[in-house]
Structures are given as C-alpha cells and as structure tokens.
Amino acid sequence: GDLVIVYEKHDSLDHIYLKKDAIFKNKFGSFPHNDMIGKPFGAKIFSNCTSNRHGWVYILEPTPELWSSAVHTRTQIVNELDSSIITLNLD
C-alpha cells in the first residue's frame, strides 16, 4: 500500500500504509482506507462512525518535514563500531 500522512489536528500527525478494506481509527472516528484510495493528496476524509459524524482528517503526501513530525520515535543510538563500518562503506 501507499504511504500517506494523516493530518488529525494542528499538533497531531500520523502515518499509515493504505490497504484495501482496512480501517484507520483514532479519537476523531473511523476512516476506511477504501475512502482514501484514489483520492488526491490534500483530500478531506470524513469519518463514517455514527457516534462521531463530524470527524475528519486530511491525507497528505509524505515529505521529509511531515515525515519527521509523523514518526513518533526520532532518535537512534549508533555505537562506535557501527558508525565506523557505515563511514567505511560511504564511498
């Protein structure tokens, strides 16, 4: 499936891989992937949950800036041996 960034609100982004018949659920409602597939980036998708009919999200194209905000873990510890091997193989 295609990777999309899900804009939930101004300080909340998530990422999902779209799969046919899958459902993305959050506090704003339930969003079937089938409603997102084929839509252009920037489309507003409304929740199909009966208890929260006013919920919506935007689907956005992954960019480096959005990806760094959507990924929840941003740190990686690299030990000296690993970094030396990576540096050796850079050329």
Side-chain angles (χ1 to χ4, degrees):
D2 291 336
L3 172 68
V4 296
I5 303 295
V6 179
Y7 176 93
E8 299 171 324
K9 60 182 186 167
H10 74 281
D11 61 350
S12 179
L13 296 172
D14 204 347
H15 67 283
I16 58 172
Y17 289 93
L18 296 178
K19 298 178 189 130
K20 186 177 180 187
D21 299 326
I23 297 176
F24 172 71
K25 294 180 182 179
N26 64 11
K27 63 183 174 183
F28 302 108
S30 178
F31 303 90
H33 290 206
N34 293 347
D35 291 352
M36 300 177 200
I37 294 172
K39 295 284 191 327
F41 291 118
K44 190 175 191 178
I45 308 297
F46 290 94
S47 171
N48 71 348
C49 184
T50 56
S51 64
N52 186 5
R53 291 177 181 245
H54 302 293
W56 52 266
V57 296
Y58 285 107
I59 52 171
L60 304 174
E61 182 175 16
T63 63
E65 295 85 4
L66 289 175
W67 182 249
S68 66
S69 297
V71 174
H72 301 292
T73 303
R74 297 188 188 108
T75 59
Q76 177 72 37
I77 298 172
V78 180
N79 64 39
E80 291 180 28
L81 179 60
D82 291 339
S83 64
S84 64
I85 291 171
I86 292 167
T87 306
L88 179 68
N89 292 314
L90 278 177
D91 69 20

